[in-house]
Structures are given as C-alpha cells and as structure tokens.
Amino acid sequence: MDKKQQVKGKYSKHDWRSCWAVEQVPGKVSGAWVSRGTRVPVSALFENLRDSASIEDFLRWFPGVRREQVEAVLEHERKSLSAALASARSSNSSDR
C-alpha cells in the first residue's frame, strides 16, 4: 500500500463526528468525510500538507473550504492524536 492509500484510509476511518467543520453524507463523495458544504474530502487536506503544500495553497486550490474549517480539522486531529498517545502511554505504564 502506498502512502497516499495509507493517508486516505486513515482519515476515512477517523471519527470526525465531533468536528463541526466536516460532514459525512451518504452518496456524497462515496460517503467520505468532506469539508462541510463542499465535496472536498478531509483526506485531500492531509494529502496536500503531506506533499508540502501550505494551508494557503490548499485554500487557493479548494476555494469552497474556509480557513476556519482547516484550522478546526487540524485541531481535531491534534486532540485525537494527543488522546491516543496519552492512552498508549497509560496502557504501557499499567503493563509494568
């Protein structure tokens, strides 16, 4: 599996329900999580950032997406990763 497939798979399985900036609508972009009010998949943001695009580049390339949405998605992901890391640390310390 190449890196693009890994990124796409990761963000399609991520629980985005608590992030106001995204939506998942059956039949819209095959049910992928997209920036609310657009057809731009969340995975497109992470793929472009991974490929060295800036947030400004992304917003220019996807004009329907607002900066506030990008910031909310990135903050949601930061919190999710922090929680997962804390959980893993807690699990590892209880194994000792």
Side-chain angles (χ1 to χ4, degrees), residues 26-76:
K28 185 177 186 180
V29 191
S30 300
W33 286 97
V34 297
S35 292
R36 187 170 300 281
T38 75
R39 297 182 59 80
V40 180
V42 171
S43 61
L45 172 62
F46 291 99
E47 289 170 7
N48 279 279
L49 293 175
R50 182 203 64 219
D51 292 340
S52 301
S54 67
I55 291 173
E56 289 73 24
D57 291 334
F58 182 80
L59 293 170
R60 193 170 47 254
W61 298 332
F62 299 95
V65 179
R66 298 187 332 265
R67 176 173 293 280
E68 296 82 18
Q69 289 174 299
V70 169
E71 290 171 355
V73 165
L74 294 175
E75 179 64 11
H76 184 273

